[in-house]
Amino acid sequence: MEFNYDIFPAERVITTRYAGRFTFANLMGTAEQLWADPRYSPHFDGVVDLTDAALGVGMEDFRALVNFVRDHKKTSEGRWAAIAISPLPTA
């Protein structure tokens, strides 16, 4: 799995990109990486590019991800858009 991001504080925008197969553990790790960046603000909007990503998350992992994001104090409160080739990565 490949993950990269950029944060544009002046525009209050975050861009992220996932490529390859990713799991729940990958998603938690990338969220924590993003949140640790001093430029990060939960009030910024964002775009996530999933065009080259393959979902490797089962229903149990999905539930754990929802709980992780819901319970974390740094979770984004901004608006996010997802770019994907098929609906599965965004389901």
Side-chain angles (χ1 to χ4, degrees), residues 43-47 76-81:
H43 305 291
F44 291 175
D45 296 330
V47 177
S76 177
E77 298 171 6
R79 296 172 296 166
W80 281 77

Side-chain angles (χ1 to χ4, degrees), residues 3-59:
F3 170 74
N4 53 58
Y5 71 92
D6 208 343
I7 299 174
F8 303 92
E11 291 80 10
R12 302 175 50 86
V13 171
I14 300 167
T15 61
T16 61
R17 181 179 177 277
Y18 289 88
R21 188 166 188 82
F22 60 93
T23 64
F24 170 63
N26 296 135
L27 291 174
M28 284 193 343
T30 59
E32 290 172 343
Q33 179 183 350
L34 180 64
W35 296 338
D37 190 308
R39 300 172 298 163
Y40 174 79
S41 169
H43 305 291
F44 291 175
D45 296 330
V47 177
V48 58
D49 181 352
L50 301 168
T51 56
D52 295 320
L55 186 62
V57 178
M59 190 50 89

